[in-house]
């Protein structure tokens, strides 16, 4: 039987590039005569921008620190032990770079067991133990504290979570077993399942305390000092820690059942992590912690060796790393400063853009439109949104006044745009209209101003073709809702120069958007893939497959919403317009559904109606059902799914051949950040590779083995 030290030594050899966390032990005399105390500080020697993690060598270092404290506790030379982190960071869990390298089930099992063996020693010490959550704590960082007798938390903590399910894992170092036994199953399910599946929602320090995870809450400025004073009072008996009793009856079972409903609504059974976590929580009801730890080890090893986690890590790396260094972006030193922004149009989209530029750039923003009423309405919308931010406490009165003063509206483009550095149009999606607008803007804008278009499918090159300076036109395609979806497709026209493109990327960075460079190809990335995807769904419906069968066929992908609910969100008229654009470009692959055209012509907002009697679940609108003209070819769910996935794989293969984006990774980054494509799938290409669709359709995988999959 391997010792913990041997397990960790073997794991460390697999991961030579680990950023190692040290576990420094120092001693101090507690106030009020409470006695001598051992404090372990986790620190990787880097500043807060490089958070502390637990790789195998880091766990070995903590194990050695606990060896020392254990001897001191047995000798009676310390009355208690605590653990805390470097400034702003407690610890953010396992080092995922090491997890990616694991190739065998027994290696994965060693990581789970190694973490448990080290952490549970904290609860086995002969003296009480204390965790002081002084900064960001995630995953294993949260779990190491759960093994302690008591916990304090800083009010200043910006992020505290168990994000494992979001990535395709379970909290595997005690979280699934310990947390429900500390705060009850309902609250634990909320933290482990619900928050994770809601885009990895984070808790603040106050919420950590209110949930009962921490026993005391202190200000950030003197957090450790106050925590040690509190520790002294606990050890002398002056302060008694009372925790609510955990309900172990029906409430526990109901919480687990609720967790399954949440998981079903988010991943539709398509990802195993949430269900494995719920199984462990369900089994933890009897309080047998060791059985829970063993179950965590097994789940962790199984999931580490599965495709979902590898896809989750791949997606995490895309949004955390690739998004910060966009492929193909020009040298950022070429970017020109933007001190004023012009927005052509004052409708809802234009007003949302104006608000975003105003909030992020904090420079003058001027809107124009065809009449004063529209201009006033746009400016009023922006100012009303600023007042809402003030009302919610997101900004103070001074900032609200300043932002409100920075947004103006004029009818005369010459007056509004003469000194603007960046001008974006958000007018009707019609080439002739956009060309006319750009001609008017070019006549009055400074020579250096970038002219950006928010088109979703039209050619940027054609839009710029009649201008004197087409080199300064870029595509700047946002996704709705503008404030929420991170993606910004930056489109390089045939004549766009590097300085204009660099300026566009610089603006995107300040807007805090995920910018992806795309070639000027019909509908760019997201709309092209989604239109092919939706087009195939509409094709099978037109041919005769029932709507319900076509929709249900896609459920195993775990998408955030069904295709026809998505169509409702986008708007059938916009969906029809984009399909017509792509049909003109690629008639052999993109169809225009006569049924969709009939739905649009009838003025319907979608295929479904919602009413209270059926709990507002989507039901086929009888008026839409009456409009549908279908053939007699009825496919099974499996046949529908195969056709849709084959179409998507073919389209992505063609897009990569055309050089629409640099690599398959950019396709996935676009779908995750612009279309809410499941994080646990890694976007779409890892899923197509895993299901064998890529090779069946294109004769090769999109990604090399080991990228978003277990290394060979």
């Amino acid at each position: 039987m391997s010792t913990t030290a041997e397990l960790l030594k073997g794991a460390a050899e697999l991961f030579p590039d680990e950023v190692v966390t040290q576990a420094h032990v120092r001693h101090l005399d507690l106030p009020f005569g409470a006695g001598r105390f051992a404090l372990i500080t986790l620190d990787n020697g880097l500043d807060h921008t490089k958070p502390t993690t637990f790789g195998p060598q880091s766990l070995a270092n903590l194990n050695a620190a606990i060896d020392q404290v254990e001897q001191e506790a047995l000798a009676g030379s310390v009355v208690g032990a605590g653990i805390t982190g470097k400034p702003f960071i407690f610890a953010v869990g396992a080092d995922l770079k090491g997890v990616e390298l694991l190739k065998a089930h027994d290696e994965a099992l060693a990581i789970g067991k190694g973490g448990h063996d080290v952490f549970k020693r904290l609860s086995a010490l002969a003296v009480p133990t204390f965790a002081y959550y002084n900064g960001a704590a995630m995953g294993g960082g949260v779990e190491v504290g759960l093994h302690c007798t008591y916990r304090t938390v800083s009010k200043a903590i910006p992020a505290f979570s168990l994000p494992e399910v979001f990535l395709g894992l379970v909290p595997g170092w005690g979280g699934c077993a310990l947390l429900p036994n500390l705060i009850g199953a309902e609250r634990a399910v909320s933290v482990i399942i619900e928050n994770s599946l809601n885009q990895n929602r984070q808790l603040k320090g106050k919420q950590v305390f209110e949930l009962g995870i921490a026993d005391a809450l202190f200000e950030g400025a003197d957090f450790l000092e106050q925590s040690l004073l509190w520790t002294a009072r606990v050890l002398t008996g002056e302060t008694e820690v009372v925790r609510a009793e955990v309900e172990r009856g029906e409430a526990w079972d109901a919480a687990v059942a609720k967790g399954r409903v949440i998981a079903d609504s988010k991943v539709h059974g398509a990802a195993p992590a949430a269900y494995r976590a719920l199984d462990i929580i369900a089994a933890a009801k009897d309080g047998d912690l060791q059985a829970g730890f063993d179950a965590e080890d097994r789940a962790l090893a199984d999931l580490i060796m599965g495709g979902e986690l590898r896809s989750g890590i791949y997606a995490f790396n895309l949004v955390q790393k690739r998004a910060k260094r966009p492929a193909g972006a020009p040298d950022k030193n070429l970017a020109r400063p933007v001190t004023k922004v012009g927005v052509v149009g004052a409708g809802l989209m234009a007003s949302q853009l104006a608000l975003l530029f105003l909030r992020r750039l904090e420079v003058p923003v001027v809107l124009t439109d065809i009449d004063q009423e529209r201009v006033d309405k746009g400016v009023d919308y922006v100012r009303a949104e600023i007042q809402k931010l003030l009302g919610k406490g997101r900004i103070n009165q001074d900032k609200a006044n300043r932002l409100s003063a920075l947004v103006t509206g004029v009818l005369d483009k010459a007056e509004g745009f003469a000194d603007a550095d960046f001008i974006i149009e958000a007018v009707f999606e019609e080439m002739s209209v956009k060309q006319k607008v750009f001609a008017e803007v070019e006549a009055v804008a400074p020579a250096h101003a970038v002219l950006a278009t928010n088109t979703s499918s039209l050619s940027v090159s054609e839009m710029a073709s009649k201008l004197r300076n087409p080199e300064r036109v870029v595509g700047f395609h946002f996704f709705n809702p503008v404030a929420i979806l991170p993606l910004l497709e930056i489109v390089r026209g045939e004549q766009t120069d590097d300085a204009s493109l660099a300026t566009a990327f610089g603006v995107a960075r300040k807007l805090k958007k995920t910018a992806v460079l795309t070639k000027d190809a019909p509908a760019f990335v997201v709309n092209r893939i989604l239109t092919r995807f939706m087009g195939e769904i509409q094709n099978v419906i037109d041919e005769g497959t029932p709507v319900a069968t076509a929709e249900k066929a896609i459920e195993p992908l775990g998408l955030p919403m069904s295709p026809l609910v998505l169509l409702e969100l986008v708007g059938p008229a916009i969906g029809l317009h984009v399909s017509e654009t792509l049909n003109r470009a690629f008639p052999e692959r993109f169809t225009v559904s006569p049924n969709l055209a009939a739905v649009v012509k009838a003025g319907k907002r979608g295929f479904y109606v919602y009413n209270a009697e059926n709990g507002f679940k989507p039901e086929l609108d009888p008026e839409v059902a009456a409009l549908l003209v279908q053939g007699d070819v009825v496919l099974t769910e499996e046949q529908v799914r195969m056709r849709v996935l084959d179409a998507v794989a073919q389209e992505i293969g063609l897009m990569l051949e055309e050089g629409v984006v640099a690599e398959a990774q950019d396709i996935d980054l676009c779908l995750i950040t612009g279309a809410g494509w499941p994080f646990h799938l890694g976007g779409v290409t890892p899923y197509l590779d895993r299901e064998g669709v890529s090779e069946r359709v294109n004769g090769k995988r999109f990604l090399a083995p080991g990228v978003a999959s277990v290394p060979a």
Side-chain angles (χ1 to χ4, degrees):
M1 196 65 182
S2 298
T3 66
T4 301
E6 286 167 345
L7 270 180
L8 294 172
K9 185 171 183 288
E13 285 167 4
L14 296 170
F15 185 20
D17 298 326
E18 176 185 351
V19 177
V20 176
T21 296
Q22 303 298 332
H24 305 289
V25 182
R26 63 187 171 112
H27 297 90
L28 39 104
D29 292 317
L30 292 172
F32 316 125
R36 191 162 177 262
F37 189 76
L39 181 65
I40 300 169
T41 302
L42 303 169
D43 191 346
N44 61 7
L46 303 166
D47 68 16
H48 68 278
T49 62
K50 297 284 189 295
T52 306
T53 53
F54 291 118
Q57 184 56 54
S58 305
L59 286 172
N61 290 344
L62 177 57
N63 198 45
I66 296 171
D67 281 342
Q68 179 187 337
V69 175
E70 184 179 58
Q71 293 304 315
E72 293 168 350
L74 289 170
S77 64
V78 295
V79 293
I83 186 166
T84 193
K86 68 182 183 182
F88 309 110
I89 304 289
F90 182 77
V92 297
D95 190 325
L96 292 176
K97 292 194 295 297
V99 172
E100 283 178 90
L101 300 172
L102 300 175
K103 296 181 181 180
H105 195 274
D106 60 343
E107 294 171 359
L109 199 62
I111 287 294
K113 196 167 176 342
H116 272 129
D117 287 353
V118 174
F119 288 3
K120 70 186 183 188
R121 294 183 67 198
L122 289 166
S123 57
L125 289 178
V127 292
T129 49
F130 298 76
Y132 306 130
Y133 292 123
N134 64 301
M138 295 176 203
V142 169
E143 290 172 299
V144 70
L146 295 177
H147 285 269
C148 293
T149 324
Y150 304 101
R151 286 155 294 282
T152 67
V153 67
S154 166
K155 281 184 186 175
I157 283 190
F160 183 105
S161 64
L162 288 169
E164 287 85 353
V165 166
F166 178 65
L167 290 169
L169 280 173
V170 297
W173 285 341
C176 289
L178 290 169
L179 193 63
N181 279 291
L182 175 67
I183 63 173
E186 186 177 359
R187 288 177 168 187
V189 164
S190 174
V191 174
I192 293 169
I193 307 296
E194 191 169 14
N195 287 357
S196 272
L197 293 179
N198 276 317
Q199 295 302 310
N200 192 18
R201 185 192 292 153
Q202 299 294 318
L203 298 169
K204 301 279 195 285
K206 186 166 179 278
Q207 294 168 297
V208 173
F209 173 66
E210 288 168 350
L211 282 166
I213 300 172
D215 303 302
L217 175 72
F218 299 115
E219 294 291 346
D222 57 351
F223 170 71
L224 188 56
E225 186 184 346
Q226 291 301 323
S227 292
L228 291 168
L229 286 169
W230 181 84
T231 298
R233 291 191 181 99
V234 170
L235 290 172
T236 59
E238 185 186 331
T239 293
E240 185 186 357
V241 174
V242 180
R243 297 183 185 133
E245 198 168 326
V246 171
E247 290 186 54
R248 297 188 183 276
E250 289 177 13
W252 193 291
D253 300 334
V256 173
K258 181 188 171 190
R260 293 194 195 283
V261 171
I262 292 166
D264 286 344
S265 73
K266 293 289 184 181
V267 300
H268 310 284
Y275 303 97
R276 291 294 292 266
L278 286 163
D279 288 344
I280 301 167
I281 294 169
K285 182 178 174 181
D286 63 3
D288 184 343
L289 294 179
Q290 188 53 52
F293 296 162
D294 292 343
E296 286 176 351
D297 285 343
R298 289 192 296 274
L300 206 57
D302 291 348
L303 292 166
I304 284 172
M305 298 315 294
E308 185 207 358
L309 170 69
R310 304 305 170 126
S311 295
I313 294 175
Y314 166 79
F316 182 80
N317 288 335
L318 289 181
V319 299
Q320 293 295 322
K321 295 176 185 172
R322 193 175 183 91
K324 292 179 174 65
R325 292 187 288 277
D331 183 346
K332 60 184 178 192
N333 294 319
L334 296 172
R336 294 186 288 259
V338 173
T339 59
K340 183 178 180 181
V341 172
V343 181
V344 186
L348 183 59
M349 186 67 175
S351 301
Q352 288 179 356
L353 294 179
L355 178 67
L356 180 67
F357 279 95
L358 188 66
R359 286 194 65 199
R360 297 283 186 238
L361 271 60
E362 296 190 27
V363 299
V365 175
V366 60
L367 296 103
T368 69
D369 213 314
I370 54 174
D371 59 52
Q372 193 63 46
E373 187 184 345
R374 291 177 204 229
V375 170
D376 292 344
K377 190 177 175 186
V379 173
D380 289 346
Y381 168 87
V382 175
R383 288 179 178 159
E385 291 298 310
I386 291 166
Q387 288 306 307
K388 284 183 193 171
L389 292 169
L390 175 64
K392 290 175 183 170
R394 304 271 292 278
I395 56 174
N396 60 27
Q397 187 66 59
D398 280 352
K399 189 159 188 180
N401 293 345
R402 192 166 76 253
L403 292 178
S404 293
L406 283 171
V407 62
T408 55
V410 294
L411 275 176
D412 182 3
K413 291 185 180 68
E415 180 189 342
F417 298 159
D419 55 349
D421 307 300
F422 191 95
I423 301 161
I424 185 166
E425 68 74 25
V427 299
F428 187 65
E429 191 76 342
E430 180 68 52
M431 182 60 77
S432 59
V433 175
K434 291 185 185 285
Q435 285 181 331
K436 180 173 179 286
V437 160
F438 270 161
E440 291 169 359
V441 170
E442 187 182 45
V444 297
H448 69 273
V450 172
L451 309 183
T453 169
N454 183 42
T455 183
S456 58
S457 60
L458 300 176
S459 167
V460 174
S461 304
E462 188 182 341
M463 216 176 286
S465 63
K466 297 182 179 178
L467 299 180
R468 289 191 309 277
N469 299 108
E471 69 278 359
R472 55 175 169 159
V473 176
V474 296
F476 214 63
H477 179 219
F478 290 87
F479 289 78
N480 235 335
V482 170
I484 295 170
L485 287 177
L487 181 63
L488 182 52
E489 290 178 340
I490 296 186
V491 186
R492 180 170 210 152
E494 285 170 15
Q495 298 194 59
T496 307
D497 64 20
D498 281 354
S500 300
L501 201 61
T503 305
F505 273 97
V507 169
R509 218 168 10 254
K510 287 182 178 167
L511 293 176
K512 298 185 178 174
K513 292 293 180 186
T514 296
V516 175
L517 179 63
T518 93
K519 185 179 167 185
D520 185 20
F524 318 125
V525 179
V526 172
N527 283 344
R528 179 161 164 186
I529 293 168
L530 288 186
T531 303
R532 186 79 198 273
F533 173 79
M534 301 286 286
E536 212 52 51
I537 295 279
Q538 283 156 350
N539 286 345
V540 300
I541 292 170
D542 292 353
E543 289 163 17
T545 298
V547 169
T549 305
E551 288 268 82
K552 204 162 184 325
I554 304 305
E555 278 187 6
L557 273 73
L559 298 175
M561 61 188 76
S562 75
L564 293 182
V565 173
L566 174 64
L567 180 68
E568 206 167 288
L569 187 72
V570 170
I574 292 172
L576 180 65
H577 172 77
V578 177
S579 69
E580 287 168 343
T581 301
L582 281 159
N583 172 253
R584 286 193 295 273
F586 309 114
E588 69 286 0
R589 298 195 310 280
F590 287 85
T591 54
V592 178
S593 164
N595 282 320
L596 178 59
V599 168
V600 172
K601 189 177 177 186
K604 304 301 291 185
R605 292 184 57 193
F607 277 63
Y608 293 127
V609 287
Y610 303 83
N611 49 58
E613 292 90 84
N614 75 339
F616 296 101
K617 288 180 183 162
E619 270 184 8
L620 188 61
D621 183 342
E623 292 179 19
V624 170
L627 291 171
L628 294 182
V629 177
Q630 293 181 279
D632 55 9
V633 178
V634 180
L635 301 183
T636 64
E637 287 175 25
E638 180 62 34
Q639 288 169 323
V640 171
R641 186 161 56 251
M642 195 176 289
R643 252 186 67 175
V644 171
L645 293 176
D646 284 6
V648 169
Q650 182 194 31
E651 203 58 40
I652 292 171
L654 292 166
M655 289 167 71
L656 293 171
E657 278 178 27
E658 292 168 29
V660 175
V661 288
E663 292 182 290
Q665 282 88 334
D666 296 308
I667 299 272
D668 292 318
L669 183 57
C670 284
L671 286 173
I672 291 165
T673 57
W677 210 275
F679 204 87
H680 61 264
L681 294 183
V684 65
T685 67
Y687 180 82
L688 295 171
D689 284 350
R690 203 159 61 236
E691 295 295 310
V693 181
S694 315
E695 292 193 50
R696 185 173 72 240
V697 174
N698 300 323
K700 60 182 180 181
R701 295 167 59 95
F702 287 115
L703 301 167
V707 178
S709 58
V710 178

